[in-house]
Amino acid sequence: MNIQTLISIFQIIVSVIVIGLILLQERDSGAGGLFGGSGGEGFYQTRRGLEKSIFIATIFFVIVFAALAVTNLFV
């Protein structure tokens, strides 16, 4: 197995993780939240605890995904 295949496999794994983390983030539970509505809440609430950890993990894995994509271009 060559290095480009390994990078592609890692990129697929990281992309599935990113999708899962994005789906775990729940900003608005109503259908209006999908289209930019407030969903009944008109205020912003800060992230705390597990929600903050998921948010930071999402950013980390998106950066890893981007780095793998750039590395795959140059290999």
Side-chain angles (χ1 to χ4, degrees):
M1 208 178 326
N2 60 8
I3 190 75
Q4 193 169 12
T5 305
L6 280 174
I7 291 173
S8 295
I9 291 171
F10 285 134
Q11 197 171 7
I12 291 169
I13 292 169
V14 170
S15 68
V16 169
I17 292 171
V18 168
I19 290 170
L21 288 172
I22 289 173
L23 290 175
L24 283 175
Q25 294 181 16
E26 185 178 334
R27 211 45 172 147
D28 290 322
S29 59
L34 295 174
F35 303 107
S38 63
E41 296 182 20
F43 62 92
Y44 176 76
Q45 186 176 359
T46 59
R47 293 178 175 93
R48 294 183 182 167
L50 183 61
E51 185 179 357
K52 186 175 182 179
S53 299
I54 291 172
F55 179 72
I56 292 171
T58 304
I59 293 172
F60 172 76
F61 280 108
V62 166
I63 292 171
V64 170
F65 180 81
L68 285 171
V70 170
T71 304
N72 203 6
L73 283 175
F74 293 114
V75 172

